[in-house]
mmCIF file of all heavy atoms in Angstrom:
data_model
loop_
_atom_site.group_PDB
_atom_site.id
_atom_site.type_symbol
_atom_site.label_atom_id
_atom_site.label_comp_id
_atom_site.label_asym_id
_atom_site.label_seq_id
_atom_site.Cartn_x
_atom_site.Cartn_y
_atom_site.Cartn_z
ATOM 1 N N LYS A 31 8.186 -2.540 1.081
ATOM 2 C CA LYS A 31 7.511 -1.238 1.108
ATOM 3 C C LYS A 31 6.245 -1.297 1.953
ATOM 4 O O LYS A 31 5.946 -0.366 2.709
ATOM 5 C CB LYS A 31 7.175 -0.784 -0.317
ATOM 6 C CG LYS A 31 6.577 0.614 -0.364
ATOM 7 C CD LYS A 31 6.410 1.127 -1.783
ATOM 8 C CE LYS A 31 5.856 2.539 -1.799
ATOM 9 N NZ LYS A 31 5.698 3.060 -3.169
ATOM 10 N N VAL A 135 -1.533 3.140 -4.949
ATOM 11 C CA VAL A 135 -1.353 2.802 -6.361
ATOM 12 C C VAL A 135 0.136 2.817 -6.687
ATOM 13 O O VAL A 135 0.793 3.858 -6.568
ATOM 14 C CB VAL A 135 -2.105 3.787 -7.284
ATOM 15 C CG1 VAL A 135 -2.012 3.328 -8.736
ATOM 16 C CG2 VAL A 135 -3.571 3.897 -6.854
ATOM 17 N N GLU A 136 0.658 1.663 -7.097
ATOM 18 C CA GLU A 136 2.082 1.538 -7.407
ATOM 19 C C GLU A 136 2.363 1.600 -8.906
ATOM 20 O O GLU A 136 3.469 1.944 -9.312
ATOM 21 C CB GLU A 136 2.625 0.221 -6.832
ATOM 22 C CG GLU A 136 2.551 0.140 -5.317
ATOM 23 C CD GLU A 136 3.437 1.162 -4.627
ATOM 24 O OE1 GLU A 136 4.442 1.577 -5.231
ATOM 25 O OE2 GLU A 136 3.110 1.559 -3.496
ATOM 26 N N GLU A 137 1.390 1.227 -9.726
ATOM 27 C CA GLU A 137 1.568 1.313 -11.171
ATOM 28 C C GLU A 137 0.230 1.066 -11.863
ATOM 29 O O GLU A 137 -0.731 0.604 -11.238
ATOM 30 C CB GLU A 137 2.605 0.307 -11.682
ATOM 31 C CG GLU A 137 2.215 -1.155 -11.544
ATOM 32 C CD GLU A 137 3.271 -2.086 -12.139
ATOM 33 O OE1 GLU A 137 3.452 -2.052 -13.376
ATOM 34 O OE2 GLU A 137 3.910 -2.821 -11.368
ATOM 35 N N VAL A 138 0.184 1.395 -13.146
ATOM 36 C CA VAL A 138 -0.940 1.001 -13.988
ATOM 37 C C VAL A 138 -0.495 -0.254 -14.717
ATOM 38 O O VAL A 138 0.369 -0.222 -15.590
ATOM 39 C CB VAL A 138 -1.312 2.124 -14.979
ATOM 40 C CG1 VAL A 138 -2.390 1.644 -15.949
ATOM 41 C CG2 VAL A 138 -1.787 3.360 -14.229
ATOM 42 N N TYR A 164 -5.410 8.992 -1.989
ATOM 43 C CA TYR A 164 -4.443 8.065 -2.590
ATOM 44 C C TYR A 164 -3.082 8.119 -1.893
ATOM 45 O O TYR A 164 -2.673 9.156 -1.351
ATOM 46 C CB TYR A 164 -4.182 8.435 -4.056
ATOM 47 C CG TYR A 164 -5.330 8.301 -5.010
ATOM 48 C CD1 TYR A 164 -6.060 9.427 -5.400
ATOM 49 C CD2 TYR A 164 -5.669 7.069 -5.578
ATOM 50 C CE1 TYR A 164 -7.088 9.327 -6.318
ATOM 51 C CE2 TYR A 164 -6.704 6.963 -6.491
ATOM 52 C CZ TYR A 164 -7.414 8.094 -6.858
ATOM 53 O OH TYR A 164 -8.434 7.991 -7.771
ATOM 54 N N LEU A 165 -2.366 6.995 -1.995
ATOM 55 C CA LEU A 165 -0.917 6.941 -1.839
ATOM 56 C C LEU A 165 -0.358 6.607 -3.213
ATOM 57 O O LEU A 165 -0.728 5.593 -3.808
ATOM 58 C CB LEU A 165 -0.497 5.842 -0.856
ATOM 59 C CG LEU A 165 -0.591 6.104 0.641
ATOM 60 C CD1 LEU A 165 -0.122 4.863 1.395
ATOM 61 C CD2 LEU A 165 0.237 7.303 1.051
ATOM 62 N N PHE A 166 0.541 7.440 -3.735
ATOM 63 C CA PHE A 166 1.188 7.193 -5.021
ATOM 64 C C PHE A 166 2.694 7.040 -4.824
ATOM 65 O O PHE A 166 3.251 7.500 -3.818
ATOM 66 C CB PHE A 166 0.934 8.348 -5.994
ATOM 67 C CG PHE A 166 -0.467 8.448 -6.507
ATOM 68 C CD1 PHE A 166 -1.252 9.551 -6.196
ATOM 69 C CD2 PHE A 166 -1.007 7.456 -7.314
ATOM 70 C CE1 PHE A 166 -2.552 9.667 -6.680
ATOM 71 C CE2 PHE A 166 -2.308 7.554 -7.800
ATOM 72 C CZ PHE A 166 -3.077 8.657 -7.483
ATOM 73 N N ASN A 167 3.343 6.452 -5.833
ATOM 74 C CA ASN A 167 4.800 6.343 -5.764
ATOM 75 C C ASN A 167 5.509 7.443 -6.549
ATOM 76 O O ASN A 167 6.739 7.522 -6.508
ATOM 77 C CB ASN A 167 5.279 4.960 -6.228
ATOM 78 C CG ASN A 167 4.902 4.655 -7.660
ATOM 79 O OD1 ASN A 167 4.709 5.550 -8.474
ATOM 80 N ND2 ASN A 167 4.774 3.381 -7.979
ATOM 81 N N SER A 168 4.775 8.279 -7.267
ATOM 82 C CA SER A 168 5.395 9.382 -8.003
ATOM 83 C C SER A 168 4.337 10.404 -8.388
ATOM 84 O O SER A 168 3.142 10.097 -8.476
ATOM 85 C CB SER A 168 6.095 8.870 -9.270
ATOM 86 O OG SER A 168 5.146 8.506 -10.267
ATOM 87 N N GLU A 169 4.814 11.618 -8.637
ATOM 88 C CA GLU A 169 3.909 12.673 -9.099
ATOM 89 C C GLU A 169 3.383 12.365 -10.500
ATOM 90 O O GLU A 169 2.256 12.725 -10.843
ATOM 91 C CB GLU A 169 4.636 14.026 -9.101
ATOM 92 C CG GLU A 169 4.983 14.560 -7.712
ATOM 93 C CD GLU A 169 3.785 15.076 -6.952
ATOM 94 O OE1 GLU A 169 2.686 15.171 -7.544
ATOM 95 O OE2 GLU A 169 3.943 15.409 -5.757
ATOM 96 N N LEU A 170 4.192 11.708 -11.319
ATOM 97 C CA LEU A 170 3.740 11.361 -12.671
ATOM 98 C C LEU A 170 2.564 10.402 -12.630
ATOM 99 O O LEU A 170 1.611 10.539 -13.396
ATOM 100 C CB LEU A 170 4.895 10.748 -13.471
ATOM 101 C CG LEU A 170 6.004 11.691 -13.945
ATOM 102 C CD1 LEU A 170 7.050 10.917 -14.738
ATOM 103 C CD2 LEU A 170 5.438 12.818 -14.794
ATOM 104 N N LEU A 171 2.619 9.418 -11.740
ATOM 105 C CA LEU A 171 1.509 8.478 -11.606
ATOM 106 C C LEU A 171 0.268 9.192 -11.076
ATOM 107 O O LEU A 171 -0.854 8.947 -11.543
ATOM 108 C CB LEU A 171 1.900 7.320 -10.686
ATOM 109 C CG LEU A 171 0.850 6.230 -10.480
ATOM 110 C CD1 LEU A 171 0.444 5.592 -11.801
ATOM 111 C CD2 LEU A 171 1.366 5.165 -9.515
ATOM 112 N N CYS A 172 0.471 10.069 -10.126
ATOM 113 C CA CYS A 172 -0.652 10.857 -9.603
ATOM 114 C C CYS A 172 -1.331 11.641 -10.714
ATOM 115 O O CYS A 172 -2.563 11.661 -10.828
ATOM 116 C CB CYS A 172 -0.160 11.798 -8.506
ATOM 117 S SG CYS A 172 -1.429 12.928 -7.908
ATOM 118 N N LYS A 173 -0.528 12.289 -11.540
ATOM 119 C CA LYS A 173 -1.072 13.098 -12.633
ATOM 120 C C LYS A 173 -1.903 12.257 -13.584
ATOM 121 O O LYS A 173 -2.915 12.717 -14.133
ATOM 122 C CB LYS A 173 0.079 13.763 -13.382
ATOM 123 C CG LYS A 173 -0.356 14.749 -14.458
ATOM 124 C CD LYS A 173 0.853 15.429 -15.090
ATOM 125 C CE LYS A 173 0.421 16.417 -16.161
ATOM 126 N NZ LYS A 173 1.593 17.086 -16.795
ATOM 127 N N ARG A 174 -1.500 11.000 -13.780
ATOM 128 C CA ARG A 174 -2.204 10.113 -14.713
ATOM 129 C C ARG A 174 -3.500 9.572 -14.118
ATOM 130 O O ARG A 174 -4.494 9.403 -14.832
ATOM 131 C CB ARG A 174 -1.289 8.947 -15.095
ATOM 132 C CG ARG A 174 -1.816 8.066 -16.218
ATOM 133 C CD ARG A 174 -1.738 8.785 -17.556
ATOM 134 N NE ARG A 174 -2.217 7.953 -18.649
ATOM 135 C CZ ARG A 174 -3.476 7.898 -19.050
ATOM 136 N NH1 ARG A 174 -4.407 8.604 -18.431
ATOM 137 N NH2 ARG A 174 -3.815 7.138 -20.072
ATOM 138 N N VAL A 175 -3.523 9.299 -12.816
ATOM 139 C CA VAL A 175 -4.641 8.577 -12.201
ATOM 140 C C VAL A 175 -5.612 9.484 -11.457
ATOM 141 O O VAL A 175 -6.830 9.271 -11.494
ATOM 142 C CB VAL A 175 -4.097 7.489 -11.237
ATOM 143 C CG1 VAL A 175 -5.240 6.843 -10.450
ATOM 144 C CG2 VAL A 175 -3.319 6.434 -12.010
ATOM 145 N N ASN A 176 -5.098 10.502 -10.793
ATOM 146 C CA ASN A 176 -5.916 11.297 -9.869
ATOM 147 C C ASN A 176 -6.770 12.313 -10.620
ATOM 148 O O ASN A 176 -6.563 13.526 -10.556
ATOM 149 C CB ASN A 176 -5.006 11.998 -8.856
ATOM 150 C CG ASN A 176 -5.786 12.609 -7.703
ATOM 151 O OD1 ASN A 176 -7.001 12.457 -7.594
ATOM 152 N ND2 ASN A 176 -5.068 13.310 -6.840
ATOM 153 N N GLN A 177 -7.774 11.826 -11.301
ATOM 154 C CA GLN A 177 -8.603 12.665 -12.170
ATOM 155 C C GLN A 177 -9.563 13.570 -11.398
ATOM 156 O O GLN A 177 -10.044 14.561 -11.938
ATOM 157 C CB GLN A 177 -9.384 11.777 -13.143
ATOM 158 C CG GLN A 177 -8.489 10.984 -14.080
ATOM 159 C CD GLN A 177 -9.266 10.121 -15.067
ATOM 160 O OE1 GLN A 177 -10.476 9.940 -14.935
ATOM 161 N NE2 GLN A 177 -8.564 9.593 -16.057
ATOM 162 N N ASN A 179 -8.698 15.054 -8.512
ATOM 163 C CA ASN A 179 -7.879 15.935 -7.671
ATOM 164 C C ASN A 179 -8.106 15.688 -6.182
ATOM 165 O O ASN A 179 -8.277 16.626 -5.386
ATOM 166 C CB ASN A 179 -8.137 17.410 -8.008
ATOM 167 C CG ASN A 179 -7.693 17.771 -9.411
ATOM 168 O OD1 ASN A 179 -6.623 17.362 -9.853
ATOM 169 N ND2 ASN A 179 -8.522 18.521 -10.121
ATOM 170 N N LEU A 180 -8.096 14.408 -5.805
ATOM 171 C CA LEU A 180 -8.241 14.044 -4.401
ATOM 172 C C LEU A 180 -6.920 14.244 -3.661
ATOM 173 O O LEU A 180 -5.858 14.349 -4.276
ATOM 174 C CB LEU A 180 -8.667 12.577 -4.288
ATOM 175 C CG LEU A 180 -9.998 12.201 -4.961
ATOM 176 C CD1 LEU A 180 -10.237 10.700 -4.832
ATOM 177 C CD2 LEU A 180 -11.154 12.977 -4.352
ATOM 178 N N LYS A 181 -6.993 14.279 -2.338
ATOM 179 C CA LYS A 181 -5.774 14.398 -1.541
ATOM 180 C C LYS A 181 -4.901 13.161 -1.752
ATOM 181 O O LYS A 181 -5.418 12.053 -1.933
ATOM 182 C CB LYS A 181 -6.120 14.565 -0.061
ATOM 183 C CG LYS A 181 -6.756 15.902 0.281
ATOM 184 C CD LYS A 181 -6.813 16.122 1.778
ATOM 185 C CE LYS A 181 -5.421 16.353 2.372
ATOM 186 N NZ LYS A 181 -5.479 16.743 3.796
ATOM 187 N N TYR A 182 -3.601 13.361 -1.679
ATOM 188 C CA TYR A 182 -2.686 12.241 -1.892
ATOM 189 C C TYR A 182 -1.356 12.502 -1.197
ATOM 190 O O TYR A 182 -1.045 13.647 -0.818
ATOM 191 C CB TYR A 182 -2.449 12.016 -3.383
ATOM 192 C CG TYR A 182 -1.641 13.114 -4.054
ATOM 193 C CD1 TYR A 182 -0.254 12.996 -4.196
ATOM 194 C CD2 TYR A 182 -2.254 14.264 -4.550
ATOM 195 C CE1 TYR A 182 0.483 14.010 -4.803
ATOM 196 C CE2 TYR A 182 -1.529 15.270 -5.156
ATOM 197 C CZ TYR A 182 -0.158 15.144 -5.280
ATOM 198 O OH TYR A 182 0.576 16.138 -5.870
ATOM 199 N N THR A 183 -0.586 11.447 -1.050
ATOM 200 C CA THR A 183 0.779 11.530 -0.527
ATOM 201 C C THR A 183 1.669 10.650 -1.382
ATOM 202 O O THR A 183 1.238 9.589 -1.849
ATOM 203 C CB THR A 183 0.825 11.077 0.943
ATOM 204 O OG1 THR A 183 0.203 12.067 1.761
ATOM 205 C CG2 THR A 183 2.241 10.880 1.435
ATOM 206 N N ILE A 184 2.904 11.095 -1.568
ATOM 207 C CA ILE A 184 3.878 10.324 -2.344
ATOM 208 C C ILE A 184 4.772 9.535 -1.402
ATOM 209 O O ILE A 184 5.317 10.083 -0.430
ATOM 210 C CB ILE A 184 4.755 11.257 -3.216
ATOM 211 C CG1 ILE A 184 3.895 12.080 -4.174
ATOM 212 C CG2 ILE A 184 5.804 10.440 -3.974
ATOM 213 C CD1 ILE A 184 3.151 11.269 -5.199
ATOM 214 N N VAL A 185 4.925 8.247 -1.665
ATOM 215 C CA VAL A 185 5.919 7.427 -0.968
ATOM 216 C C VAL A 185 6.582 6.535 -2.019
ATOM 217 O O VAL A 185 5.949 5.666 -2.603
ATOM 218 C CB VAL A 185 5.303 6.606 0.194
ATOM 219 C CG1 VAL A 185 4.120 5.771 -0.266
ATOM 220 C CG2 VAL A 185 6.363 5.749 0.869
ATOM 221 N N GLU A 186 7.851 6.792 -2.274
ATOM 222 C CA GLU A 186 8.550 6.100 -3.354
ATOM 223 C C GLU A 186 9.031 4.718 -2.949
ATOM 224 O O GLU A 186 9.253 3.858 -3.808
ATOM 225 C CB GLU A 186 9.747 6.946 -3.807
ATOM 226 C CG GLU A 186 9.324 8.269 -4.432
ATOM 227 C CD GLU A 186 10.498 9.189 -4.676
ATOM 228 O OE1 GLU A 186 11.508 9.090 -3.927
ATOM 229 O OE2 GLU A 186 10.428 10.024 -5.596
ATOM 230 N N GLY A 187 9.213 4.513 -1.655
ATOM 231 C CA GLY A 187 9.730 3.207 -1.245
ATOM 232 C C GLY A 187 10.040 3.168 0.239
ATOM 233 O O GLY A 187 9.451 3.896 1.040
ATOM 234 N N TYR A 189 11.746 4.127 3.123
ATOM 235 C CA TYR A 189 12.540 5.256 3.595
ATOM 236 C C TYR A 189 13.135 5.008 4.984
ATOM 237 O O TYR A 189 12.969 5.808 5.900
ATOM 238 C CB TYR A 189 11.688 6.520 3.670
ATOM 239 C CG TYR A 189 11.174 7.070 2.367
ATOM 240 C CD1 TYR A 189 9.954 7.743 2.323
ATOM 241 C CD2 TYR A 189 11.890 6.970 1.183
ATOM 242 C CE1 TYR A 189 9.462 8.287 1.150
ATOM 243 C CE2 TYR A 189 11.405 7.500 -0.002
ATOM 244 C CZ TYR A 189 10.194 8.158 -0.010
ATOM 245 O OH TYR A 189 9.715 8.691 -1.171
ATOM 246 N N ASN A 293 7.278 3.727 -17.608
ATOM 247 C CA ASN A 293 7.935 4.398 -16.495
ATOM 248 C C ASN A 293 7.124 5.537 -15.909
ATOM 249 O O ASN A 293 7.335 5.915 -14.754
ATOM 250 C CB ASN A 293 9.308 4.910 -16.937
ATOM 251 C CG ASN A 293 10.347 3.807 -16.950
ATOM 252 O OD1 ASN A 293 10.801 3.363 -15.908
ATOM 253 N ND2 ASN A 293 10.707 3.345 -18.135
ATOM 254 N N SER A 294 6.216 6.109 -16.686
ATOM 255 C CA SER A 294 5.417 7.212 -16.151
ATOM 256 C C SER A 294 4.378 6.728 -15.156
ATOM 257 O O SER A 294 3.811 7.527 -14.409
ATOM 258 C CB SER A 294 4.733 7.977 -17.284
ATOM 259 O OG SER A 294 3.775 7.154 -17.936
ATOM 260 N N THR A 295 4.108 5.430 -15.133
ATOM 261 C CA THR A 295 3.096 4.900 -14.211
ATOM 262 C C THR A 295 3.646 3.798 -13.319
ATOM 263 O O THR A 295 2.898 3.028 -12.733
ATOM 264 C CB THR A 295 1.879 4.355 -14.997
ATOM 265 O OG1 THR A 295 2.320 3.322 -15.880
ATOM 266 C CG2 THR A 295 1.206 5.452 -15.785
ATOM 267 N N ALA A 296 4.970 3.706 -13.209
ATOM 268 C CA ALA A 296 5.583 2.719 -12.323
ATOM 269 C C ALA A 296 6.852 3.324 -11.748
ATOM 270 O O ALA A 296 7.547 4.092 -12.420
ATOM 271 C CB ALA A 296 5.898 1.429 -13.080
ATOM 272 N N PHE A 297 7.160 2.979 -10.496
ATOM 273 C CA PHE A 297 8.390 3.449 -9.875
ATOM 274 C C PHE A 297 9.106 2.243 -9.283
ATOM 275 O O PHE A 297 8.496 1.450 -8.565
ATOM 276 C CB PHE A 297 8.090 4.466 -8.769
ATOM 277 C CG PHE A 297 9.330 5.136 -8.229
ATOM 278 C CD1 PHE A 297 9.727 6.371 -8.724
ATOM 279 C CD2 PHE A 297 10.096 4.534 -7.251
ATOM 280 C CE1 PHE A 297 10.874 6.985 -8.240
ATOM 281 C CE2 PHE A 297 11.243 5.143 -6.765
ATOM 282 C CZ PHE A 297 11.633 6.368 -7.262
ATOM 283 N N PRO A 298 10.395 2.072 -9.589
ATOM 284 C CA PRO A 298 11.119 0.891 -9.077
ATOM 285 C C PRO A 298 11.455 1.043 -7.598
ATOM 286 O O PRO A 298 12.513 1.577 -7.231
ATOM 287 C CB PRO A 298 12.387 0.883 -9.949
ATOM 288 C CG PRO A 298 12.599 2.319 -10.327
ATOM 289 C CD PRO A 298 11.229 2.922 -10.457
ATOM 290 N N ARG A 317 12.129 10.079 -16.920
ATOM 291 C CA ARG A 317 11.593 11.278 -16.266
ATOM 292 C C ARG A 317 11.163 11.020 -14.823
ATOM 293 O O ARG A 317 11.383 11.857 -13.940
ATOM 294 C CB ARG A 317 10.410 11.806 -17.092
ATOM 295 C CG ARG A 317 9.939 13.180 -16.660
ATOM 296 C CD ARG A 317 9.170 13.883 -17.766
ATOM 297 N NE ARG A 317 8.622 15.152 -17.289
ATOM 298 C CZ ARG A 317 7.347 15.333 -16.978
ATOM 299 N NH1 ARG A 317 6.486 14.351 -17.117
ATOM 300 N NH2 ARG A 317 6.910 16.512 -16.552
ATOM 301 N N VAL A 318 10.556 9.855 -14.565
ATOM 302 C CA VAL A 318 10.057 9.592 -13.224
ATOM 303 C C VAL A 318 11.194 9.569 -12.208
ATOM 304 O O VAL A 318 11.017 9.975 -11.048
ATOM 305 C CB VAL A 318 9.254 8.272 -13.189
ATOM 306 C CG1 VAL A 318 10.162 7.059 -13.381
ATOM 307 C CG2 VAL A 318 8.461 8.149 -11.889
ATOM 308 N N LEU A 319 12.391 9.141 -12.639
ATOM 309 C CA LEU A 319 13.535 9.121 -11.734
ATOM 310 C C LEU A 319 14.235 10.470 -11.671
ATOM 311 O O LEU A 319 14.746 10.870 -10.619
ATOM 312 C CB LEU A 319 14.523 8.035 -12.156
ATOM 313 C CG LEU A 319 14.017 6.592 -12.034
ATOM 314 C CD1 LEU A 319 15.108 5.600 -12.418
ATOM 315 C CD2 LEU A 319 13.526 6.300 -10.613
ATOM 316 N N GLU A 320 14.255 11.189 -12.776
ATOM 317 C CA GLU A 320 14.849 12.527 -12.756
ATOM 318 C C GLU A 320 14.071 13.466 -11.838
ATOM 319 O O GLU A 320 14.646 14.390 -11.248
ATOM 320 C CB GLU A 320 14.898 13.100 -14.166
ATOM 321 C CG GLU A 320 15.946 12.451 -15.062
ATOM 322 C CD GLU A 320 16.060 13.153 -16.408
ATOM 323 O OE1 GLU A 320 15.038 13.278 -17.103
ATOM 324 O OE2 GLU A 320 17.182 13.579 -16.743
ATOM 325 N N LEU A 321 12.751 13.230 -11.704
ATOM 326 C CA LEU A 321 11.909 14.048 -10.834
ATOM 327 C C LEU A 321 11.821 13.491 -9.417
ATOM 328 O O LEU A 321 11.173 14.087 -8.549
ATOM 329 C CB LEU A 321 10.492 14.145 -11.423
ATOM 330 C CG LEU A 321 10.367 14.833 -12.786
ATOM 331 C CD1 LEU A 321 8.942 14.740 -13.299
ATOM 332 C CD2 LEU A 321 10.818 16.288 -12.701
ATOM 333 N N SER A 322 12.463 12.365 -9.178
ATOM 334 C CA SER A 322 12.377 11.684 -7.894
ATOM 335 C C SER A 322 13.085 12.468 -6.793
ATOM 336 O O SER A 322 14.005 13.250 -7.041
ATOM 337 C CB SER A 322 13.014 10.296 -8.012
ATOM 338 O OG SER A 322 13.255 9.731 -6.745
ATOM 339 N N LYS A 323 12.686 12.191 -5.562
ATOM 340 C CA LYS A 323 13.317 12.809 -4.402
ATOM 341 C C LYS A 323 14.747 12.318 -4.190
ATOM 342 O O LYS A 323 15.507 12.924 -3.427
ATOM 343 C CB LYS A 323 12.479 12.517 -3.147
ATOM 344 C CG LYS A 323 11.058 13.054 -3.237
ATOM 345 C CD LYS A 323 10.242 12.706 -2.011
ATOM 346 C CE LYS A 323 8.801 13.184 -2.194
ATOM 347 N NZ LYS A 323 8.025 13.240 -0.979
ATOM 348 N N VAL A 324 15.114 11.215 -4.854
ATOM 349 C CA VAL A 324 16.463 10.656 -4.681
ATOM 350 C C VAL A 324 17.295 10.770 -5.955
ATOM 351 O O VAL A 324 18.319 10.098 -6.091
ATOM 352 C CB VAL A 324 16.377 9.173 -4.230
ATOM 353 C CG1 VAL A 324 15.732 9.065 -2.866
ATOM 354 C CG2 VAL A 324 15.614 8.329 -5.254
ATOM 355 N N GLU A 364 9.604 13.298 6.389
ATOM 356 C CA GLU A 364 8.650 13.954 5.496
ATOM 357 C C GLU A 364 7.414 13.085 5.285
ATOM 358 O O GLU A 364 6.274 13.576 5.310
ATOM 359 C CB GLU A 364 9.305 14.242 4.147
ATOM 360 C CG GLU A 364 10.265 15.415 4.144
ATOM 361 C CD GLU A 364 10.859 15.656 2.765
ATOM 362 O OE1 GLU A 364 10.485 14.919 1.809
ATOM 363 O OE2 GLU A 364 11.697 16.560 2.633
ATOM 364 N N ASN A 368 3.449 13.850 6.174
ATOM 365 C CA ASN A 368 2.451 13.833 5.094
ATOM 366 C C ASN A 368 1.364 12.791 5.355
ATOM 367 O O ASN A 368 0.190 13.014 5.031
ATOM 368 C CB ASN A 368 3.123 13.545 3.749
ATOM 369 C CG ASN A 368 4.024 14.681 3.288
ATOM 370 O OD1 ASN A 368 3.844 15.828 3.707
ATOM 371 N ND2 ASN A 368 4.984 14.378 2.441
#
Side-chain angles (χ1 to χ4, degrees):
K31 185 173 182 179
V135 186
E136 297 295 334
E137 66 177 294
V138 174
Y164 295 101
L165 280 180
F166 289 115
N167 61 25
S168 73
E169 292 287 352
L170 287 181
L171 182 58
C172 174
K173 186 176 180 180
R174 189 72 179 89
V175 173
N176 192 4
Q177 297 181 349
N179 295 317
L180 300 177
K181 290 192 70 173
Y182 69 94
T183 288
I184 301 296
V185 54
E186 295 171 332
Y189 294 149
N293 280 287
S294 66
T295 59
F297 188 96
R317 191 159 175 256
V318 69
L319 294 183
E320 287 186 304
L321 297 175
S322 165
K323 300 178 184 196
V324 296
E364 284 181 2
N368 292 337

